[in-house]
Amino acid sequence: YSSATWGDPVRPHQGSEDALVAKLDGSGNVTWNTFPGGTGSDRGYGAAVDGYGNLHVAGYSDAAWGRCPVRAYSGAEDAFAVQINSEGSMRPDGIDLHLKIGWNMVSVPLEATGKTPAQAFPTAEAVYTWDPVGKSYYTPLTIEPECAYWVAVTYDHVHFICGTLKNDVTINVFQGWNMIGSVSETCSVDDLKPNAGDPLLTNAVYWWNPETKSYGSVDEIIAGHGYWLASTDDCTVTLGPPEPD
């Protein structure tokens, strides 16, 4: 543990005593360091590396910390366990969605820890998605990365959703208009790859701007945004990073 910051930490020192994790190279030089913990007293007592290069650290804390613990802090001195990847970032992953008062057209480019609309969007007044077959809106049962959603909120705020980020998704697209989601990294509209033919109208992909309350055509699919996509035929579309040359 450390009672003050040092180095160039991946996660900043939060105050008081923070658990300390550092990665060293073969010569003993610090590759990165990071501080799991919050504003209370947090101490690390055990660590183990799994077969994927993730570090698992255990210790105790006397206050809550972290954006989305699987099990919340209960009081006094609670044990904690945290997974840290080989780059020093704590798991689980997640994404910030910048929600504006009114309607927002968003997507969740991850397998959410909480998959119901109430779990994924607890501050929302309403959540809807589009049925491209029935040509109507409905309230979804689960939140999926390949879909887009209308989310209504009553105040501006940044909302963090926990889960495992998705690098690629497969989307069932139907003739007409579809509301599609995104993946963890920005992709070109040209990276939308149908399984057969060329049915996608890639010059007619639209995003709703919640600040101007208007649609705009786009040439990129940005993580966390939702989009309207038109197709001349049913198909299956893969969205992901571009293939290497």
Side-chain angles (χ1 to χ4, degrees):
Y1 73 92
S2 180
S3 60
T5 190
W6 59 270
D8 185 18
V10 177
R11 184 176 189 270
H13 192 276
Q14 304 295 306
S16 187
E17 297 172 343
D18 273 359
L20 162 67
V21 179
K23 181 178 180 178
L24 310 181
D25 65 18
S27 300
N29 300 306
V30 176
T31 302
W32 52 256
N33 70 312
T34 192
F35 296 103
T39 57
S41 180
D42 314 278
R43 295 194 177 193
Y45 280 97
V49 179
D50 65 23
Y52 300 97
N54 298 308
L55 179 66
H56 301 258
V57 177
Y60 79 82
S61 298
D62 66 3
W65 58 272
R67 302 185 78 169
C68 48
V70 175
R71 184 180 187 274
Y73 170 77
S74 298
E77 293 180 346
D78 254 4
F80 76 77
V82 62
Q83 185 185 94
I84 300 173
N85 68 19
S86 61
E87 302 301 320
S89 295
M90 291 195 309
R91 303 289 181 90
D93 294 321
I95 187 171
D96 282 320
L97 297 181
H98 296 260
L99 302 179
K100 295 293 184 180
I101 186 171
W103 288 102
N104 300 262
M105 191 178 184
V106 303
S107 62
V108 179
L110 47 79
E111 290 294 339
T113 302
K115 293 182 71 71
T116 69
Q119 291 169 331
F121 299 107
T123 62
E125 295 294 307
V127 179
Y128 294 107
T129 191
W130 174 253
D131 177 1
V133 177
K135 312 299 182 187
S136 61
Y137 290 110
Y138 68 98
T139 301
L141 296 178
T142 59
I143 302 300
E144 305 295 344
E146 63 267 21
C147 299
Y149 301 92
W150 286 108
V151 176
V153 296
T154 57
Y155 60 99
D156 294 354
H157 61 287
V158 178
H159 175 55
F160 184 76
I161 298 181
C162 297
T164 303
L165 294 170
K166 298 280 288 185
N167 295 323
D168 56 76
V169 295
T170 299
I171 306 169
N172 292 321
V173 170
F174 297 87
Q175 183 180 24
W177 288 101
N178 301 260
M179 282 178 64
I180 67 168
S182 62
V183 291
S184 59
E185 296 184 9
T186 297
C187 298
S188 169
V189 167
D190 294 333
D191 294 329
L192 290 164
K193 306 176 182 69
N195 62 331
D198 189 24
L200 304 181
L201 303 181
T202 54
N203 62 340
V205 180
Y206 296 97
W207 172 66
W208 173 258
N209 187 326
E211 293 185 345
T212 62
K213 312 297 183 187
S214 62
Y215 286 109
S217 62
V218 301
D219 54 17
E220 289 185 326
I221 305 295
I222 298 174
H225 290 186
Y227 299 91
W228 285 109
L229 169 69
S231 179
T232 59
D233 201 357
D234 297 354
C235 63
T236 300
V237 172
T238 299
L239 175 60
E243 296 179 357
D245 295 334

